[in-house]
Structure formats: structure tokens, C-alpha cells
Amino acid sequence: MTRNAAGSWLPQLATALDVTPGRPRPLGTGIWRVTAGGRELAAKTGPGVADEAAGLQALAQVPGAPPVPEVVVARPDLLVTAWVDQGPRTAAHEVVLGRRLAALHSWPWSTWGGGSHWVGACPVDAEAADDGAIYFGSRLVDLSSRCGLERPASRLAGRIRDLLPPDGPSRLHGDLWWGNVLWGADGHPWLIDPSVHGGYPEEDLAMLGLFGSVPTRTIEAYLEIRALAAGWEERVPLFQLFPLLVHAVLFGDSYRSQAEAIIRRLV
């Protein structure tokens, strides 16, 4: 399927819902808003949408977790979800986000890793592991080898067990930056575009702070529900390393330099 051609997926949507969809409105590369059967929907194409659909359904299973859009159609190369009406971001949104993320992270995952084969447009090894250090170390080595940082990263992987917290594996969103948080008109923060896997809760929180600070009220609300292991603030750079390596693979030098600086600081 051509990612930019709405006409290539409209017949699938019409067949799945047994309706004639309206004219799609492009929102970005491979993303559209479309009306079908009296409902406002979001349609997305691309190689990772099947994993994204599974991730949305996995997040929806967790009581008290942030809401996610309903999956309406899931095909290997097409994901259609309910549209989320948004409003201005408020302090109340930020408090609710902290509480609901704590609820999500209180829900276990059966293994380390597993889940999605994609983080955004970056393919990742989704093999499950029985040990957190093995999971995190193997992802570190794999991604660093794809952006020319394998030598320093291999040294860090050798001591990764000493740096990791004792908790997990928990069910994670896995690609939690502010662009994947929608401030719902209903007062709830909604999550989209997950890369669900089993990991450390600090992964989600660290990534949330990578492209914009996490409000104090969000952290305080989180900690009211779920404690973080001692030293979590010092581990933020460690857990920001993984998304920085993903961005280095996708976008190159500036992210590579940031990732290298963290690796050399931690070795």
C-alpha cells in the first residue's frame, strides 16, 4: 500500500464498516481524518500499524490507565481508530496523566521486551527476555550498532545490570513523548502511537521528559499512586538513551552526539 494514497485504503475501510467513507483529510504522512458511518475516525498506514493496533488494545485492558482511541479497523497495513476531540492542555490534565500512568505501570507484563517490533518508524528487536539486563543490554547494543556507537555501547552493556532499578517488567506505552499525548476535550489525557512492551516504568517517564519537561504536578500525582525505586532521578539519562538511539538511527548526527555523551558519562 502506498502510504500517501488515501484511495488505496478507502475500499478496505468501506468493506470493513459496510459504509461509504467521506473524503479523507490528510493530517501528515500516512495519516488522515475521515468520516464513515456518522463517526469521525483517524486512519493510518505504514509497516508498524498492526503492532500499534495490538498495543492500543493492550493498553485499553489496564484499569485506570490513560484512555486510548478505540481500534475500529486493524489490517496488516491499515489502522483506523476513533477520533479524539481535543481541548486546551490544563493543570487538571497533567495531574490525571500522572495518576493514570502510575496505574498503567502497576500492571505487569509477562516478560521483558516482547510486544511491538517498531518504535515509530524504527524497527526494533521484539524478542522477549527473562531478565531485564539482558533485554535492555541487547537493545542498547543493537541500536548503537546501527548508528556507529557499538564500541562505547558494548562497554556500557557490560555493566548495565548495576545501573538498572529492581522493578518491572511493567506494561509500557514505549514511545511516550508529548506528541503522543492528546489533551482530550473530556478532561482526560489520551495516549496514541504506542510501542508496547515489558520494561521499566522509568522508560516512559524519562522519554516524556526528553522533548519537554515533565510537570512537577504530574510526577507528584504519579508518586501518590506508585513509588519509584530510589535513585530514579539519576537514572533519567540512562532511560533517555534508548529513544535517543532510536532517533540517531532515524535522523542521524545530532541525536547520535547526545546518545554518545550519555554513554560515555555512564561507562
Side-chain angles (χ1 to χ4, degrees), residues 103-115 128-133 135-136 165-173 196-204 226 239:
L104 171 61
H105 294 161
S106 298
W107 201 261
W109 189 266
S110 59
T111 63
W112 296 92
D130 295 327
D131 180 274
Y135 145 71
F136 203 83
D167 56 349
S170 295
R171 189 171 307 205
L172 304 185
H173 177 280
V196 173
H197 63 276
Y200 297 97
E202 293 174 37
E203 292 180 56
D204 272 352
R226 184 185 183 280
F239 287 113

Side-chain angles (χ1 to χ4, degrees), residues 84-175:
V84 177
D85 289 322
Q86 300 176 60
R89 174 175 173 171
T90 67
H93 277 121
E94 295 171 354
V95 171
V96 174
L97 177 63
R99 292 172 180 163
R100 287 185 171 267
L101 284 177
L104 171 61
H105 294 161
S106 298
W107 201 261
W109 189 266
S110 59
T111 63
W112 296 92
S116 181
H117 295 76
W118 298 83
V119 178
C122 180
V124 294
D125 184 358
E127 183 176 357
D130 295 327
D131 180 274
I134 292 174
Y135 145 71
F136 203 83
S138 64
R139 280 210 167 179
L140 171 63
V141 170
D142 174 56
L143 287 168
S144 62
S145 69
R146 291 153 63 185
C147 58
L149 293 173
E150 59 270 32
R151 181 172 294 180
S154 65
R155 294 198 297 271
L156 176 58
R159 64 181 301 261
I160 198 73
R161 190 176 301 277
D162 298 330
L163 302 176
L164 294 169
D167 56 349
S170 295
R171 189 171 307 205
L172 304 185
H173 177 280
D175 191 10

